[in-house]
Amino acid sequence: MKIRLAASVLATSVFCFPALASAKNVKVEIPVIEKELVIDNAGTKQSMWTFGGTVPGPLVRVTQGDVVDFTLENLKSNKQSHSMDFHAARLDVLNEFATVNPGQSKQFQFRADYPGVFIYHCGAEAMSEHISRGMYGVIIVDPKDGYSEVYPEPDREYVIVQGDLFREGTVAADVTKNIGKYANLINGKVFHYDPVHDQNASLALESKPGERVRFYFVNAQINDSAAFHPIAGIWDRVWENGNPKNVMHGIQTYDVPPAHAVTLDLISPSDRPTNNAIVDHQMKNALTGAITVLMNYKEANPELGRNGNLIIRE
C-alpha cells in the first residue's frame, strides 16, 4: 500500500500550467482500500470503503498556485470501482474524475487556484453509497500571501469531518433517501472526541486558554446540512469556503451544506480554564454522534493541533 504526500519544487510550466513564483509540484498517491474499520469508541467494526485505509482519507495540504500531481490506485483486491473528485480542482468530470476499476489506477494534475478548505470524495455510481461508506477527505489550500490581519496565524489547527453512518447492508437506493442512517461520524467515529456523551471516548481536542484555535470543518454528509456551533463560545471569525476574502465576525452558528467546507476560529477566555462542545445544532445529528469536546487548560498537549497533527486518529 502506498500513501505519499511529497512535494518537490519543479517548474509548473512542465505540466502546461502558467508558472507562478514559488509554486511547487506536489505528488499525492492514495490507494482505495475496502476494509472493516472501527466506527465507535467501543470498538464496533463495519465494512467501509476508504481512501488510504482511514475515514476521512489522508489530509492533503498545498499552497495556492501549487500543482497537485495525483494518482488514485484501486487495489486489485477491491470489489468495487471508484473514482476521485477534488472540489479544489477545475477539470473534466468525464476524464480526470472517471471511474477506476479494481487493479487499475488513474493519474491527473490540477493547479490549486483558489485558497480555502475543500472536500474530496469518490464520485463512482452510486455516489451517495460511496461517500456514505467513508470515501471522503480534505484538501487545504493555504493562501499564497500567507497570514495577514484578515487571516491571522492560529495557535492550533484541527480538521473536523462530519459524515453519515448507515446500517450495515443498507442498499444504495435507500442510502440516497437517508433511509437506514442511524448515527453521525466525526473523523470516522461516533462521538469520537466526546467523553461527556460516550463513556468509552478517550480523546478530546485541547488548547490553552486564550489561544486562537482554527477549525477546518467539512460536511461529508450526503443529504444533511450541519449547523456548526461552539457551545459556550462564539466563532471569532468565519471564512466561507475557507477563503480569506470571505470573512465574517462574531458568528454563533454557521450552516454548512453537504459537500461543503468552512474555516472557523474560536478563542476561549484567557483568564481561566474552560470547555466547549462543538456541535451540529441539528439535534438529530448532535445526539447521534456529532459532538466534539474542546478542553481549554494550561496543561494542554503541545502536540495536538500542531506540526501537521490536525486529524486526531486514535
Side-chain angles (χ1 to χ4, degrees):
M1 294 184 298
K2 194 185 292 185
I3 304 175
R4 192 169 105 191
L5 301 178
S8 58
V9 178
L10 298 174
T12 57
S13 57
V14 172
F15 301 98
C16 302
F17 293 103
L20 293 177
S22 73
K24 303 180 297 296
N25 177 260
V26 182
K27 295 186 70 68
V28 178
E29 301 176 9
I30 301 179
V32 174
I33 304 172
E34 299 171 5
K35 61 184 293 189
E36 282 196 338
L37 283 182
V38 174
I39 48 82
D40 62 23
N41 298 306
T44 305
K45 290 186 177 181
Q46 188 162 314
S47 297
M48 305 292 279
W49 302 340
T50 76
F51 289 117
T54 62
V55 176
L59 174 63
V60 179
R61 191 166 196 175
V62 299
T63 299
Q64 181 184 5
D66 287 349
V67 173
V68 177
D69 185 355
F70 175 71
T71 302
L72 179 73
E73 180 187 6
N74 191 355
L75 299 183
K76 188 176 181 179
S77 58
N78 292 334
K79 297 181 180 180
Q80 305 294 325
S81 295
H82 300 286
S83 68
M84 174 59 83
D85 177 344
F86 276 103
H87 279 208
R90 296 186 294 162
L91 297 167
D92 180 359
V93 66
L94 300 179
N95 184 350
E96 288 87 353
F97 291 176
T99 298
V100 181
N101 295 323
Q104 298 182 350
S105 62
K106 178 74 174 179
Q107 186 272 340
F108 59 82
Q109 300 162 348
F110 67 92
R111 190 176 66 191
D113 290 320
Y114 291 88
V117 57
F118 302 85
I119 190 174
Y120 65 77
H121 63 83
C122 182
E125 186 68 26
M127 188 188 301
S128 55
E129 181 179 24
H130 285 249
I131 296 174
S132 70
R133 293 186 67 159
M135 299 201 73
Y136 49 79
V138 181
I139 175 170
I140 297 172
V141 182
D142 292 314
K144 65 179 184 298
D145 297 328
Y147 298 117
S148 64
E149 182 178 350
V150 174
Y151 192 68
E153 183 174 5
D155 296 296
R156 296 177 193 257
E157 301 173 293
Y158 291 110
V159 167
I160 294 181
V161 186
Q162 182 174 332
D164 303 304
L165 186 63
F166 286 80
R167 298 190 185 282
E168 189 89 66
T170 304
V171 298
D174 284 345
V175 168
T176 300
K177 300 174 184 176
N178 256 26
I179 299 171
K181 177 176 176 177
Y182 72 101
N184 280 263
L185 301 175
I186 294 295
N187 288 354
K189 290 184 181 180
V190 178
F191 293 122
H192 198 161
Y193 315 113
D194 184 7
V196 175
H197 291 86
D198 186 348
Q199 63 181 357
N200 293 307
S202 60
L203 296 172
L205 305 187
E206 300 181 21
S207 73
K208 291 186 177 182
E211 286 187 329
R212 178 177 291 275
V213 182
R214 182 156 296 161
F215 292 89
Y216 302 96
F217 177 73
V218 173
N219 181 8
Q221 298 176 102
I222 60 170
N223 290 313
D224 293 339
S225 63
F228 205 50
H229 170 70
I231 296 178
I234 296 175
W235 298 120
D236 178 72
R237 301 189 193 190
V238 175
W239 293 272
E240 166 61 22
N241 209 76
N243 191 317
K245 293 183 178 180
N246 303 331
V247 62
M248 291 167 280
H249 299 265
I251 303 297
Q252 58 183 315
T253 303
Y254 197 79
D255 194 55
V256 185
H260 192 54
V262 64
T263 301
L264 319 92
D265 279 5
L266 187 64
I267 303 174
S268 61
S270 61
D271 60 343
R272 63 190 178 102
T274 59
N275 300 282
N276 298 104
I278 315 298
V279 307
D280 179 350
H281 222 299
Q282 294 193 78
M283 291 295 101
K284 65 177 183 178
N285 294 327
L287 298 180
T288 55
I291 302 178
T292 293
V293 172
L294 173 67
M295 301 171 57
N296 311 295
Y297 65 112
K298 66 179 181 180
E299 296 85 7
N301 187 334
E303 294 302 314
L304 293 181
R306 292 175 175 159
N307 302 318
N309 192 24
L310 278 65
I311 303 179
I312 313 305
R313 292 287 190 181
E314 291 183 45

